[in-house]
Amino acid sequence: MGKEAKFRRNFEMPIQKENSQVQSIVLKKLIQPFILRRVKTDKDIIKDLPDKVEHKL
């Protein structure tokens, strides 16, 4: 059985169809080291962002 099928069986189906909070938490913990979430309200992030440029057409 392929990796995609295993992922679907272990995570996608339980989370989407059964609303499994347990599998959702497990998946979140597994992918957390690989996901970088940045928000503008973080003072360290806002200074690194370039100025906003708007072009009105």
Side-chain angles (χ1 to χ4, degrees):
M1 188 169 289
K3 293 177 184 179
E4 182 180 352
K6 186 176 180 181
F7 176 82
R8 285 183 188 272
R9 185 181 70 243
N10 291 338
F11 297 106
E12 184 179 352
M13 300 304 281
I15 292 170
Q16 285 187 353
K17 301 225 173 171
E18 302 162 17
N19 200 23
S20 172
Q21 295 299 313
V22 173
Q23 285 307 94
S24 183
I25 291 168
V26 170
L27 180 60
K28 185 176 181 179
K29 286 182 179 183
L30 286 172
I31 64 172
Q32 194 169 9
F34 305 103
I35 302 296
L36 176 61
R37 179 142 195 248
R38 300 175 75 173
V39 293
K40 285 184 169 184
T41 55
D42 185 345
K43 299 294 182 194
D44 294 328
I45 302 304
I46 196 71
K47 65 183 177 189
D48 292 337
L49 293 174
D51 291 335
K52 182 177 177 180
V53 177
E54 291 186 33
H55 296 282
K56 295 183 181 185
L57 301 174

